[in-house]
Amino acid sequence: MFICGSNFVGGESACALTPTGMENINYIELKNGIYDDLYVTKATDFEITHECPMQWDFDTILWAKFNNTTNAGNIDWNLETTSHIILKSRTEGQFKWKTLAVKEVHSAEDFTINYPDYFVASGEPVEYAVTNVMYGCEGTYAVTKVTSRFHKMFLVEGGTVWGTEITDGFCDTTRNTPSSVVELLHSRYPIFIRNTVANYDTGSCKGSFVPLDETSCEFAYDSEQDYTRIKYQREFMDYICDSIPKILKLPDGRLWLVQITPNPADTANQQYNDREISWSWVEVGDVNSEEDLYYLGFSNVAPEWWNQ
């Protein structure tokens, strides 16, 4: 029996359905009405009232105020608890993160962060994490996984990318571990002496390199007319002779931070119009080291943001 909206036990919500379902709620629909707010929380110790809370808290899932928008996020609340937003990456399965970018947050627009990651090897699953920071204290990580694959050889400096079809070139490497063998006067066998921890690669590459178009991610030449690549030969020579370290990436997953060494050569391969540039390089850092990336000019993330 209902009298004036109440039943015989007197509660206004006494006849509400008891929420006994165990499945997660992943869909909400409002229709045929005018609504001031939609507030969803994971807290269970609350009183049912006709008023929404005055502010977000850590139990709030979404809060749509319908002020000329259907936005139900907490950007305004995050602005009060965020001084920076940071982007990190790591190879899947590893523990240590590498900070790629740090951005100060002063407005809602600052939560947008774009970063071209050239430190990813072909076929390597990489995890990316974005988190907010409040004066050194990190928030919860939002993590996603990406696996990139490519079939060309690339040489990267800043935002400039040059490459060649791997079928048109090659890259041979040598591992350098400086040491010496000393033959003693009264010993049949020599002794091995190594007085340094130096352990690095050197190599030589060869190919018909052309710049990569940033919009299409394809080489900037007509594949039907291979000779059009020749016009880039001198420009590529200038590129590899500018004394700035670069990232060398091969489609088999190998990746180095390198310095080009003297002296590159432009030679014809059987025909005059079929030309290739050969050049040598030396490994100068570790692509997974935030310190090496910073001091070699590949990253502007200051030491205070490094993951020790």
Side-chain angles (χ1 to χ4, degrees):
M1 178 181 297
F2 289 88
I3 301 176
C4 297
S6 299
N7 61 11
F8 66 95
V9 295
E12 64 175 349
S13 300
C15 289
L17 296 176
T18 302
T20 56
M22 299 302 293
E23 296 182 358
N24 292 330
I25 298 175
N26 52 34
Y27 177 77
I28 297 176
E29 180 178 346
L30 297 177
K31 62 181 181 180
N32 299 330
I34 299 176
Y35 306 94
D36 295 322
D37 294 84
L38 171 62
Y39 185 85
V40 180
T41 178
K42 59 185 177 181
T44 57
D45 55 342
F46 62 89
E47 295 182 359
I48 297 179
T49 67
H50 296 291
E51 297 182 358
C52 284
M54 298 301 296
Q55 62 182 6
W56 275 74
D57 58 36
F58 287 98
D59 290 322
T60 306
I61 296 177
L62 61 86
W63 184 5
K65 301 179 182 180
F66 302 120
N67 294 329
N68 298 320
T69 177
T70 57
N71 176 44
N74 61 343
I75 290 180
D76 295 337
W77 181 73
N78 274 338
L79 281 174
E80 298 177 359
T81 59
T82 301
S83 60
H84 298 76
I85 185 171
I86 58 179
L87 173 65
K88 298 185 177 185
S89 73
R90 68 180 179 185
T91 302
E92 185 182 23
Q94 293 186 355
F95 174 77
K96 186 178 180 180
W97 291 95
K98 175 175 62 182
T99 302
L100 298 177
V102 179
K103 186 177 182 181
E104 290 190 16
V105 174
H106 301 287
S107 65
E109 289 73 19
D110 293 332
F111 282 100
T112 300
I113 183 169
N114 295 309
Y115 182 84
D117 186 8
Y118 295 116
F119 311 120
V120 180
S122 177
E124 181 178 88
V126 177
E127 292 180 320
Y128 290 95
V130 177
T131 184
N132 66 314
V133 179
M134 185 62 175
Y135 301 115
C137 296
E138 295 184 357
T140 303
Y141 283 20
V143 181
T144 187
K145 184 176 72 173
V146 175
T147 301
S148 64
R149 300 185 185 277
F150 49 86
H151 306 283
K152 302 174 177 64
M153 181 195 307
F154 292 108
L155 195 63
V156 185
E157 175 193 317
T160 304
V161 182
W162 286 72
T164 185
E165 300 287 350
I166 196 63
T167 53
D168 294 339
F170 64 83
C171 190
D172 297 331
T173 64
T174 300
R175 176 57 59 90
N176 297 269
T177 55
S179 60
S180 61
V181 176
V182 179
E183 297 175 349
L184 303 180
L185 182 62
H186 298 290
S187 175
R188 176 180 176 181
Y189 300 103
I191 61 173
F192 176 82
I193 300 176
R194 185 179 180 191
N195 296 321
T196 175
V197 296
N199 188 344
Y200 61 96
D201 287 338
T202 55
S204 58
C205 295
K206 184 177 182 180
S208 301
F209 288 84
V210 295
L212 192 71
D213 190 301
E214 295 182 359
T215 57
S216 64
C217 293
E218 297 293 337
F219 289 148
Y221 78 101
D222 186 354
S223 59
E224 299 297 327
Q225 298 176 318
D226 283 350
Y227 65 85
T228 58
R229 294 183 292 184
I230 295 177
K231 66 180 182 180
Y232 296 111
Q233 301 293 81
R234 185 177 181 87
E235 187 178 350
F236 181 70
M237 279 287 199
D238 294 336
Y239 175 67
I240 61 178
C241 293
D242 61 7
S243 300
I244 299 176
K246 296 171 176 58
I247 303 169
L248 175 61
K249 305 175 64 171
L250 298 183
D252 56 19
R254 289 182 291 170
L255 178 68
W256 297 272
L257 300 183
V258 304
Q259 180 71 61
I260 311 303
T261 57
N263 291 302
D266 179 358
T267 57
N269 184 18
Q270 295 181 347
Q271 298 181 7
Y272 177 79
N273 284 338
D274 183 11
R275 309 193 66 83
E276 296 174 326
I277 290 181
S278 56
W279 42 277
S280 301
W281 54 269
V282 58
E283 185 179 15
V284 293
D286 181 2
V287 72
N288 294 313
S289 168
E290 293 169 302
E291 181 178 3
D292 289 350
L293 294 175
Y294 179 75
Y295 287 112
L296 290 174
F298 293 102
S299 170
N300 58 4
V301 177
E304 61 264 27
W305 298 104
W306 297 350
N307 298 269
Q308 302 299 330

